[in-house]
Amino acid sequence: VKEIYRKRGSSVRVEWSVRGRVVMRLSEEGSALGERNHFSASTARWGSEAPGEVRPDGIVAWCERFAAALPAGVAIERLTAVEGRADHEFESRGEGRRWSEERALVNATLVNRSAQARIHVELGGASPVDLDDGGALVAARLLAAFRGARAHPATVTLVPAVAAPLWPLIAEAVRDGLCASAPALAQRPHPQFQCDGTGQLIEPFAAARGAEWPNLFRPTYRAPAVAAFFHAAAAPVEETVRPSLEAVAHMRPPAAVDAALVLTLLVHEPENVGESRRLSLTLPLREIGSHLAGIGEPDGWYPHAAGSWGSRAVLRPPE
Amino acid sequence: LRSYDSPGARITEIGSPRDSDPAQILMTSRHEDLSFFATAISREVWRCSRAGAEIIEEQHEHGHATARFAGETIEIEASDDFGAIPAGLREIDGRDLERRLLAAAGAAGAIDGAISAARSAGGTLHIINRARFVSSATARAFDAATIVWFSPDAAPERSVMAPPHLIAGFVEKLAAAPEPALAADHRDYAIVWRGGSGAVLLHEIVGHPSEEGEAGEGWPEWLEVRDEPENGIVAAGTDDVGTRTGVRLLTRGEAPSAMRRFSFRDVPSIRMTNLVAEGRQAPFDVPDDRIEVTLVGEGAYDRLADTVRISVVGSALVRRDRSDQLQPFEIEAPRRLLRDALAGAGGRAVLYPGVICSDGGSRLPVGSSAPDILTRRLGR
């Protein structure tokens, strides 16, 4: 089956690091052809009217505000912020779809150099106005207070931004049959990011063993689309334990390694925001459901994998 | 087209800066703070097996970027429309430049030998051609280069990268390597870095810190690590913002001279181009018991913790006359510990088959050459 995809986009990207600052305005158009075992993509004009140009003001101002709000002792190691608009077309089997999208994304690492500590920040929305940095700034203040201490494993509340990247990892483990118990995870449509990489609507879909993801993710026209679990959300679970710590950021990107979820978290005692510690946890994916002792309602969308909804969650460490 | 070879290099230079060609414009005094950069890049992915070879992916992209340097901020306007060169640069004939770039990117180096070797070994071959034009107030270049990268099906992490005329030899050597069998703790052994692989170690412990101006002091007197952009596998004497490049002594605290970017949509930053290590009067006695490293999967430098991680995917444990291939292992250590473990170098620098260096999402090939290097046992 021959599939044709076209994309035309306009974006502003800010790259901020210890080496300086770059503001790039980019406009590009391209098309891709997928056929059996062959994929080709190229720069190409496709005629119709271009999406409106993105002005740099919004995303640059967001970055400047965010940098100015960081506490003393915390610096931006690297920050990439993008605001973009894109028009898409997809044709297959004589049918065509068109859709448009606007997005603002931030990916950053913040550092406390004296404590040799780093946290990861990812935010996303339809425009810079949607980039709620409140949680990131709380985490930054706790990073400033970090002195290198380690926390003993204890029951911990994950704020939504910390729980969000776990859902796509657990969904893949569920699909691969690695989990005997797991939270109920499903695609939860996003009101603005409604379409996948072929223009198909993203519908609710539950993660299950052996499931084939129904939607295709295509972050660029230059690479083939891949099946992905979009806008991962965890079903609420009533809280059964009282946590003694709160995790506000990941100090290393969470990863699924050897059938376990490996987390390094910046945590604090809820009543004590003047001190923070590092909590390292390795949670077997097989019993991951038994380690999640509470999940709240979805609260905020994050750009992890093909999208993920954050929710407050309570994590119980292994005995 | 004019092409020339230097050790490990194959660069095709197109035209001459003196040509009265619209695409050979040197930025005038009106544009002193501007740099114009354009690329055409074609990539092919080939699946290769004894049964045959077929292209499974092709990508062609081209575009231009005009950068304005304003203190610590660089403002870049980038587009893939050559009919839309920014106002103020009207002297550049975009359509003509587009045609010339596409022609140059379409003229790949001969890859028949690479495909034949890849078929025997079984794996995926990536062929990447890049043509670029760069012009600033002080320098300009119009050139093209091809790099080829091979990942074997049996162990994709054991990949090799080289210019087309060298890749077949590397692929054949890779296919002939015995299967790993033994596990050992690298901290218990001295390591001899063979086949230029020591360049990867030095890339991480000297090269990346030097990009930040933080290579530090205390390097052995016998060791000189240089960045030599003009003699590399992909670059010429002008970097990707239109500045003349030069040799820099990284072990003397100098930073690489080149600002690099691969595509017009990448952001330029100071990066190594071609790392060359040299050992002066530092021969070493090969320890009876040692690990001999020949292939590195990947490496990383963490600036914050000042640590280095290197994943070794091709090595052998040699005990007197016996040699056993080792399973892949990781070296993760403070940079100073690795620096202090440098114990000697022997032989002439040889080209290591490939470093594709990723930094902030921008992937660049970096030439890497080193003699055999001995590092002492790190201890537990």
Side-chain angles (χ1 to χ4, degrees):
Chain A
V1 178
K2 189 186 281 189
E3 295 181 335
I4 300 169
Y5 169 74
R6 300 186 187 94
K7 178 178 181 180
R8 176 162 53 205
S10 167
S11 65
V12 173
R13 185 163 100 232
V14 180
E15 295 213 359
W16 190 311
S17 72
V18 287
R19 299 182 187 184
R21 225 182 298 178
V22 180
V23 180
M24 176 183 273
R25 287 201 292 176
L26 171 66
S27 63
E28 57 180 340
E29 283 181 65
S31 62
L33 176 66
E35 205 173 7
R36 290 175 62 92
N37 296 327
H38 186 260
F39 172 85
S40 65
S42 62
T43 301
R45 311 247 81 76
W46 48 287
S48 59
E49 202 170 306
E53 190 185 346
V54 179
R55 301 277 313 153
D57 321 29
I59 196 72
V60 170
W62 188 95
C63 293
E64 286 172 348
R65 269 198 311 272
F66 179 69
L70 291 175
V74 169
I76 291 171
E77 182 180 49
R78 187 188 295 276
L79 180 150
T80 302
V82 184
E83 181 182 3
R85 290 188 191 131
D87 293 337
H88 311 261
E89 282 185 11
F90 180 79
E91 288 174 32
S92 178
R93 299 176 194 273
E95 289 182 15
R97 302 181 195 118
R98 283 186 175 204
W99 69 105
S100 298
E101 241 174 27
E102 297 188 1
R103 285 200 189 211
L105 304 169
V106 170
N107 172 298
T109 51
L110 307 178
V111 291
N112 172 341
R113 288 196 199 291
S114 61
Q116 293 192 342
R118 176 189 285 120
I119 60 170
H120 297 259
V121 173
E122 297 220 31
L123 301 170
S127 81
V129 176
D130 300 333
L131 301 174
D132 180 359
D133 61 6
L137 292 173
V138 169
R141 285 194 282 279
L142 283 156
L143 177 63
F146 182 70
R147 297 289 175 267
R150 290 185 171 275
H152 294 295
T155 306
V156 57
T157 301
L158 312 181
V159 301
V162 173
L166 308 190
W167 307 147
L169 294 172
I170 297 174
E172 292 207 346
V174 167
R175 179 198 60 187
D176 296 345
L178 298 178
C179 305
S181 76
L185 292 162
Q187 294 193 153
R188 181 177 192 261
H190 188 287
Q192 281 143 321
F193 312 141
Q194 297 180 352
C195 296
D196 74 354
T198 65
Q200 190 171 308
L201 282 179
I202 295 160
E203 308 275 8
F205 180 85
R209 183 179 185 144
E212 287 187 18
W213 302 147
N215 294 100
L216 294 170
F217 184 52
R218 195 193 302 260
T220 164
Y221 74 84
R222 297 184 298 279
V226 292
F229 192 64
F230 275 75
H231 310 325
V237 172
E238 196 175 337
E239 204 169 302
T240 54
V241 293
R242 189 175 180 81
S244 55
L245 296 170
E246 182 181 62
V248 293
H250 287 278
M251 300 185 82
R252 288 187 176 181
V257 181
D258 295 336
L261 205 51
V262 180
L263 308 178
T264 307
L265 305 166
L266 181 68
V267 300
H268 71 114
E269 291 167 4
E271 290 78 32
N272 184 357
V273 290
E275 189 185 334
S276 61
R277 284 175 281 165
R278 184 199 316 260
L279 175 64
S280 300
L281 292 174
T282 300
L283 304 166
L285 279 161
R286 182 166 172 74
E287 301 298 337
I288 194 68
S290 66
H291 294 292
L292 282 157
I295 298 175
E297 291 288 337
D299 179 14
W301 181 89
Y302 295 86
H304 299 287
S308 183
W309 293 95
S311 31
R312 289 186 80 81
V314 176
L315 207 58
R316 190 165 35 201
E319 293 290 328
Chain B
L1 303 185
R2 182 164 66 86
S3 67
Y4 56 89
D5 285 298
S6 56
R10 174 163 290 211
I11 297 165
T12 304
E13 197 171 86
I14 305 154
S16 142
R18 292 191 186 84
D19 287 354
S20 57
D21 187 291
Q24 296 292 347
I25 291 292
L26 193 66
M27 294 288 148
T28 65
S29 58
R30 289 183 297 118
H31 306 127
E32 274 177 0
D33 58 345
L34 291 187
S35 150
F36 180 81
F37 176 69
T39 53
I41 297 168
S42 72
R43 295 183 176 87
E44 291 174 2
V45 182
W46 290 69
R47 287 284 310 120
C48 301
S49 68
R50 289 189 187 279
E54 59 171 346
I55 298 185
I56 57 169
E57 277 185 46
E58 287 176 81
Q59 297 165 32
H60 308 276
E61 59 163 79
H62 56 284
H64 56 87
T66 303
R68 181 184 301 278
F69 295 82
E72 287 195 344
T73 300
I74 307 175
E75 292 168 3
I76 300 176
E77 204 168 322
S79 169
D80 55 12
D81 184 356
F82 279 80
I85 302 291
L89 296 176
R90 296 287 181 214
E91 53 270 69
I92 291 176
D93 180 340
R95 293 295 181 208
D96 180 60
L97 178 59
E98 183 179 29
R99 274 190 295 277
R100 290 164 57 92
L101 282 167
L102 289 173
I111 54 164
D112 296 352
I115 289 174
S116 168
R119 284 189 55 190
S120 299
T124 307
L125 201 62
H126 297 250
I127 300 160
I128 303 166
N129 305 316
R130 183 185 80 148
R132 70 160 188 166
F133 169 66
V134 60
S135 178
S136 72
T138 54
R140 65 194 155 198
F142 193 0
D143 50 31
T146 302
I147 59 163
V148 185
W149 167 27
F150 176 74
S151 297
D153 287 338
E157 71 282 3
R158 302 181 73 190
S159 59
V160 288
M161 182 274 286
H165 65 299
L166 294 177
I167 191 72
F170 288 131
V171 172
E172 282 159 12
K173 207 181 281 183
L174 192 65
E179 286 297 306
L182 202 67
D185 190 326
H186 71 86
R187 295 172 297 180
D188 294 340
Y189 297 94
I191 297 178
V192 181
W193 301 77
R194 302 268 192 211
S197 62
V200 184
L201 171 71
L202 297 169
H203 177 105
E204 301 299 342
I205 67 173
V206 185
H208 278 311
S210 74
E211 292 170 339
E212 313 276 358
E214 292 175 359
E217 297 172 344
W219 300 103
E221 284 295 320
W222 53 263
L223 177 69
E224 183 167 279
V225 179
R226 304 183 295 271
D227 186 46
E228 297 185 0
E230 294 185 36
N231 196 24
I233 55 170
V234 284
T238 302
D239 73 2
D240 295 327
V241 297
T243 303
R244 299 296 303 175
T245 58
V247 175
R248 295 291 185 270
L249 304 178
L250 309 185
T251 35
R252 298 276 176 84
E254 294 181 351
S257 62
M259 289 193 81
R260 298 187 63 199
R261 48 184 157 175
F262 197 68
S263 155
F264 73 98
R265 65 167 68 75
D266 293 332
V267 161
S269 62
I270 292 177
R271 303 282 290 273
M272 289 169 275
T273 306
N274 183 47
L275 181 139
V276 178
E278 197 180 326
R280 289 177 177 156
Q281 297 179 330
F284 56 86
D285 292 327
V286 177
D288 285 343
D289 293 353
R290 62 194 182 272
I291 290 174
E292 295 206 348
V293 170
T294 48
L295 201 62
V296 175
E298 58 180 30
Y301 161 58
D302 184 333
R303 179 172 184 261
L304 187 64
D306 206 24
T307 56
V308 162
R309 183 175 54 75
I310 291 173
S311 140
V312 174
V313 296
S315 68
L317 177 62
V318 181
R319 285 165 292 186
R320 296 188 185 276
D321 298 329
R322 182 190 167 113
S323 174
D324 297 289
Q325 291 298 306
L326 283 178
Q327 291 169 7
F329 62 88
E330 285 210 345
I331 299 172
E332 188 162 7
R335 194 165 65 93
R336 282 182 190 167
L337 186 65
L338 292 166
R339 179 197 65 191
D340 295 344
L342 291 165
R348 53 188 289 274
V350 297
L351 178 71
Y352 179 73
V355 172
I356 293 187
C357 178
S358 179
D359 182 25
S362 175
R363 289 160 61 82
L364 290 164
V366 176
S368 307
S369 306
D372 289 345
I373 287 177
L374 174 69
T375 50
R376 294 185 194 91
R377 177 177 169 271
L378 293 178
R380 300 192 193 207

